[in-house]
Amino acid sequence: MAKPISIEVWNPSGRYRVISTKPMPGTRWIKLLTDQDCRVEICTEKKTILSVEDILALIGTKCDGVIGQLTEDWGDVLFSALKRAGGTAFSNMAVGYNNVDVDAATKNGIAVGNTPGVLTETTAELAASLSLAAARRIVEADQFMRAGLYDGWLPHLFVGNLLKGQTVGVIGAGRIGSAYARMMIEGFKMNLIYYDLYQSTRLEKFVTAYGQFLKANGEQPVTWKRAATMEDVLREADVISLHPILDKTTYHLINKERLAIMKKEAVLVNCSRGPVVHEVDLVEHLRANPMFRVGLDVFEDEPYMKPGLAEMKNAVVVPHIASASKWTREGMATLAALNVLGKIKGYPIWHNPNQVEPFLDENSVPPPAAPSIVNAKQLGLPTAKL
Ligand SMILES: NC(=O)c1ccc[n+]([C@@H]2O[C@H](COP(=O)([O-])OP(=O)(O)OC[C@H]3O[C@@H](n4cnc5c(N)ncnc54)[C@H](O)[C@@H]3O)[C@@H](O)[C@H]2O)c1
Ligand SMILES: O=C(O)[C@H](O)CO
């Protein structure tokens, strides 16, 4: 018999049973659900990553919707169990949904939500932090100080890379990649080279206008270039940040061959998904090129690092915290809850998932819509501008 799962229950007499597989930041998301006749059950199990069996036990025989996490494997087993339990709604508490088999959800008539629009800047800020930390060797220097090794200023002590006037490369110039590019360009007056399947006209216009502003003020203007190939970015950029989605076109995008064409003193940052980088190849490259540095928020086999990575002084590593600001995490919880609520209530889908401010205002009632459902079209769900 399966071990009972520990849960916390809000509004026990609520008509709709909504499960959250994890406690989430803030309480607004709980209130939004309980105010709309939902019984909210929050899994409080101590283990960090729930298995499919754990989630099956949580779903049980009657469940209207689930808020899940990017660490969980949402495929046909879970979606068909949710369907059997009468459920129609699932939302990841994340913008990325590579852990979700959307086709399986659609086949079972389950709407899949995600949470764009509330983590763009927070994630870009962490990518910028990792860029700086790696370029200026901040973690290495911090460890040196704490080890009591500092015995006076020296001309060669922790010399790193200047960013101003250098080239920032962005692979995947969507919401987060573009926000990161703007930060690095405006903050450090870097030139841009980017590669994406689509043209980022807004980003290009921003760089052009900022370049004109600098020129008018007697400064060297910044420039932009849309690269024809990813290799062009890797060859030309001094700092490269990865921001594509994870799918079969981006799996192991950075491998031995591509690392070899990067500059020997380049900085590589990954705040997208771990498998975008071939981590074994990366460790080998870091070992062979001590002036090459990386800043990593995500790892190929999370929560583990590939052997050798933890020992590399030229790597800054943090535990998948790019979206971890209080405002963002509370907003993600709110959007995930409203995705599930919106589907349960039969609300239409919000017309623009990138403009979700009306859902986040603590002082007003959110619009009667599901903020972001990725398979809305496949399910034939109506969209509305309210
Ligand atoms: N580390 C974190 O905590 C964290 C936080 C938020 C998002 N993310 C990850 O970042 C990803 C991007 O988020 P977003 O909101 O910017 O998404 P987005 O959809 O706005 O941007 C992704 C961009 O990648 C581009 N792209 C897709 N395939 C590509 C390819 N083969 N080569 C080059 N570009 C390609 C797309 O055209 C798009 O412009 C998410 O899917 C998620 O996996 C991670
Ligand atoms: O995809 C996402 O949203 C992140 O990885 C967590 O914020």
Side-chain angles (χ1 to χ4, degrees), residues 70 94-98 114-117 119-120 122-124 126 170-178 195-198 200 230 242-251 253 270-273 276 297-298 302 320-324 329 332 354:
L70 60 86
V95 67
Y97 52 91
N98 53 287
N114 72 338
T115 64
L119 40 61
T120 301
T122 302
T123 305
L126 201 274
V170 172
I171 295 177
R175 288 174 291 243
I176 298 168
S178 293
Y195 175 74
D196 197 298
L197 308 179
Y198 302 97
S200 186
M230 201 180 68
L242 308 172
H243 297 284
I245 57 165
L246 171 62
D247 65 6
K248 54 181 185 312
T249 71
T250 61
Y251 178 77
L253 197 92
N270 189 10
C271 286
S272 60
R273 285 287 183 266
V276 171
D297 180 53
V298 287
E302 263 174 58
H320 205 148
I321 54 167
S323 68
R329 288 284 169 86
M332 290 163 74
N354 297 321

Side-chain angles (χ1 to χ4, degrees), residues 73-82 84 101 103-105 107-108:
D73 181 8
W74 279 86
D76 192 52
V77 174
L78 290 180
F79 287 123
S80 52
L82 184 54
R84 281 195 300 278
D101 181 342
D103 291 340
K107 192 185 88 189
N108 286 287

Side-chain angles (χ1 to χ4, degrees), residues 17-135:
R17 181 168 176 256
V18 173
I19 289 162
S20 174
T21 61
K22 284 281 161 214
M24 299 191 292
T27 51
R28 183 168 179 252
W29 69 274
I30 301 173
K31 188 163 169 10
L32 288 167
L33 289 169
T34 53
D35 281 357
Q36 296 278 330
D37 212 8
C38 295
R39 169 191 166 104
V40 178
E41 295 187 20
I42 305 172
C43 178
T44 53
E45 280 289 303
K46 286 277 171 282
K47 75 197 264 198
T48 304
I49 301 179
L50 295 187
S51 66
V52 167
E53 289 66 36
D54 294 332
I55 300 171
L56 283 173
L58 279 172
I59 291 172
T61 52
K62 194 240 175 236
C63 178
D64 295 283
V66 180
I67 302 165
Q69 299 297 326
L70 60 86
T71 47
E72 299 156 5
D73 181 8
W74 279 86
D76 192 52
V77 174
L78 290 180
F79 287 123
S80 52
L82 184 54
K83 183 186 180 187
R84 281 195 300 278
T88 58
F90 166 81
S91 183
N92 236 16
M93 184 210 167
V95 67
Y97 52 91
N98 53 287
N99 62 310
V100 180
D101 181 342
V102 179
D103 291 340
T106 306
K107 192 185 88 189
N108 286 287
I110 313 278
V112 173
N114 72 338
T115 64
V118 72
L119 40 61
T120 301
E121 304 291 328
T122 302
T123 305
E125 283 180 14
L126 201 274
S129 310
L130 287 175
S131 305
L132 287 173

